[in-house]
Amino acid sequence: MADKKRLNSSGLGIQRKVGGGFLLIALVIYIVLYLFLPPLFAYSWLLGLALGFILQRSRICFTAAIRDPLLFGMTELSRGLILSLMISSLGFAALQYYRLSQGLSLIGRFVPLGWHIPIGAFIFGLGAAISGGCASGTLMRIGEGFQMQLIVLIGFVLGSTHGAYDAGWWYQLIGEQEVTHLPTILNWPKALLLQLGLLIMLYLFAYWWEKYQFRS
Amino acid sequence: MNGKLRLPKQIKKILTKIFVRPWPYWVGGLLIAIANIIYLAVTNKYWAITTGFARFGAWLLEIVGIEVQTWAVWDYYEYLRPWKDRYTFSNLGIIIGALIAILLAGQFKWKKLKNKKQFFLALGGGWLMGYGARIAIGCNIGGLYSAISSLALNGWLYLPFIVLGILIGSKLLQKWLV
């Protein structure tokens, strides 16, 4: 790589020092947030930092995870994310089960079903392919110094605001099915079996798909 | 003497592996899952991104005097100013976290826009993502990752259609660029 050649050891040292400086500032911000605002904001800041770090180090991009198997037959990234979903499902399920057994509310991301989901997801996918990144990938690449993703973000905010303005009309599509939590609809054993079964099948299919694409 | 020299070398090797070499995808996937589980356990909240973009954009309009609080969309999720919105903090965190990671690896570099075409693809693609995420109430994180992690049917409904969108979007892009 060209940029690797250009970096002599002293350039590397400067980058490391600046990086260390940013890390220190980030931790100070965490402490300030924790002391003066509701702890949720400090935890959210920390979550963002951790995820940004992980996404950058592992070069994880959701758009590539969906695009690469279809276009190039490569599924290693997809399988990494399917594995991630298996683990997070188990963790989320354990926390949900515990809370419900204690008489506490159900936690998680639930949206009533309706045509707004397929339509919105499709438009989102179009945009992700055209801009070459998803929401997490766009933010991560801004941190990496990509000017292009800064423009994507501007478009993203404009489109989000435009969508929020129009949303009242689109949300007429929201249907009757408000309960979307699989264990509530089915029961815990069936829901876990279905969820993990689907993820394992996707994983195996991805594995086979790559073998099939590169068979010769 | 030999032992003294060998230890730092091994540590250096480990540090290089963590901070310079890219991690295998499965390691990243595993750590993302763990981070999300801990966040849910501590805050009872899930990770999402784009609702924060919508609130931020609406707030900008509010500053220039446009009435945004009456929009029907806020019946579905609260209107919050950026500094009261947890997504502002997690979104900024992702940018800074990635910046720290790439600086520690010594690989930071400004990457400029190549041409006008790239500018419009970026702006248009971003716009479509924003608009679509508002309609579906979720992006690839809130609508897909956090939703499927929650064992939510809405996440599984989201998946085939984001796949379809990315497939068709990629084909369109290939045609335009050829």
Side-chain angles (χ1 to χ4, degrees):
Chain A
M1 300 272 278
D3 48 353
K4 250 185 194 167
K5 244 188 228 167
R6 228 198 272 178
L7 276 175
N8 51 30
S9 56
S10 71
L12 182 73
I14 289 166
Q15 289 218 6
R16 290 242 165 97
K17 273 176 201 157
V18 176
F22 271 108
L23 183 61
L24 212 64
I25 294 168
L27 291 177
V28 171
I29 290 174
Y30 170 75
I31 293 167
V32 172
L33 289 176
Y34 190 82
L35 290 177
F36 297 107
L37 289 175
L40 175 62
F41 296 146
Y43 294 141
S44 298
W45 170 246
L46 210 56
L47 173 80
L49 287 176
L51 290 172
F53 193 91
I54 298 164
L55 287 169
Q56 201 285 325
R57 293 285 56 232
S58 52
R59 304 151 299 150
I60 283 180
C61 169
F62 282 73
T63 303
I66 293 172
R67 183 197 55 208
D68 291 355
L70 299 170
L71 261 56
F72 314 114
M74 293 186 299
T75 66
E76 197 189 341
L77 173 55
S78 327
R79 281 180 282 131
L81 280 174
I82 295 168
L83 176 81
S84 185
L85 283 171
M86 287 183 207
I87 297 157
S88 62
S89 301
L90 287 173
F92 276 45
L95 291 167
Q96 289 171 342
Y97 185 83
Y98 170 76
R99 281 179 62 88
L100 291 176
S101 73
Q102 299 292 309
L104 298 165
S105 63
L106 175 66
I107 46 175
R109 173 67 159 187
F110 304 106
V111 175
L113 300 187
W115 278 102
H116 62 293
I117 295 178
I119 296 169
F122 177 75
I123 296 175
F124 183 89
L126 279 181
I130 290 169
S131 76
C134 45
S136 50
T138 298
L139 294 174
M140 183 259 278
R141 289 199 190 99
I142 290 172
E144 286 188 327
F146 281 90
Q147 227 176 37
M148 180 180 171
Q149 266 68 25
L150 214 53
I151 307 298
V152 176
L153 181 64
I154 292 170
F156 219 141
V157 171
L158 290 171
S160 298
T161 316
H162 181 190
Y165 180 75
D166 287 352
W169 186 79
W170 286 105
Y171 293 172
Q172 292 172 352
L173 294 172
I174 292 177
E176 303 286 302
Q177 183 71 32
E178 292 209 4
V179 179
T180 59
H181 185 230
L182 284 171
T184 308
I185 297 171
L186 305 165
N187 58 38
W188 279 99
K190 271 188 201 163
L192 282 173
L193 203 69
L194 179 66
Q195 170 95 3
L196 291 175
L198 278 171
L199 288 171
I200 290 169
M201 267 166 49
L202 277 178
Y203 190 98
L204 292 175
F205 179 74
Y207 184 78
W208 169 83
W209 179 253
E210 186 166 311
K211 282 255 145 76
Y212 175 76
Q213 294 288 317
F214 295 95
R215 61 194 177 281
S216 53
Chain B
M1 197 68 187
N2 240 343
K4 255 188 186 174
L5 274 173
R6 248 173 58 196
L7 193 65
K9 219 177 185 178
Q10 277 175 338
I11 290 173
K12 209 179 164 189
K13 221 173 150 186
I14 293 168
L15 287 177
T16 306
K17 228 176 182 174
I18 295 175
F19 291 107
V20 183
R21 297 257 175 77
W23 298 348
Y25 294 131
W26 68 267
V27 172
L30 177 76
L31 292 174
I32 287 171
I34 292 171
N36 275 288
I37 293 167
I38 294 173
Y39 184 70
L40 185 74
V42 174
T43 66
N44 296 327
K45 309 273 185 196
Y46 50 82
W47 177 31
I49 294 177
T50 41
T51 303
F53 294 168
R55 287 174 178 153
F56 180 73
W59 175 68
L60 290 181
L61 291 180
E62 198 186 13
I63 291 177
V64 297
I66 294 168
E67 181 67 66
V68 297
Q69 298 202 35
T70 51
W71 289 2
V73 68
W74 313 123
D75 296 344
Y76 297 87
Y77 30 85
E78 215 183 335
Y79 175 59
L80 297 167
R81 309 268 157 63
W83 58 91
K84 289 198 168 171
D85 183 1
R86 69 189 166 96
Y87 299 137
T88 308
F89 297 90
S90 48
N91 288 346
L92 288 173
I94 294 172
I95 297 175
I96 302 301
L99 175 66
I100 291 170
I102 200 165
L103 281 169
L104 292 180
Q107 291 158 1
F108 183 86
K109 206 176 142 218
W110 286 111
K111 288 120 187 154
K112 294 217 165 120
L113 267 173
K114 286 194 187 99
N115 48 43
K116 251 190 198 159
K117 194 180 201 172
Q118 205 181 35
F119 175 87
F120 286 112
L121 286 176
L123 196 70
W127 197 302
L128 284 173
M129 280 199 284
Y131 197 83
R134 266 326 79 207
I135 296 173
I137 318 184
C139 55
N140 62 306
I141 301 303
L144 186 68
Y145 187 85
S146 294
I148 289 185
S149 300
S150 305
L151 294 95
L153 208 49
N154 45 284
W156 285 107
L157 178 61
Y158 197 100
L159 180 63
F161 293 95
I162 190 180
V163 171
L164 194 66
I166 287 179
L167 178 65
I168 292 177
S170 304
K171 295 281 177 200
L172 285 176
L173 194 67
Q174 279 180 331
K175 267 199 177 157
W176 282 353
L177 286 177
V178 164

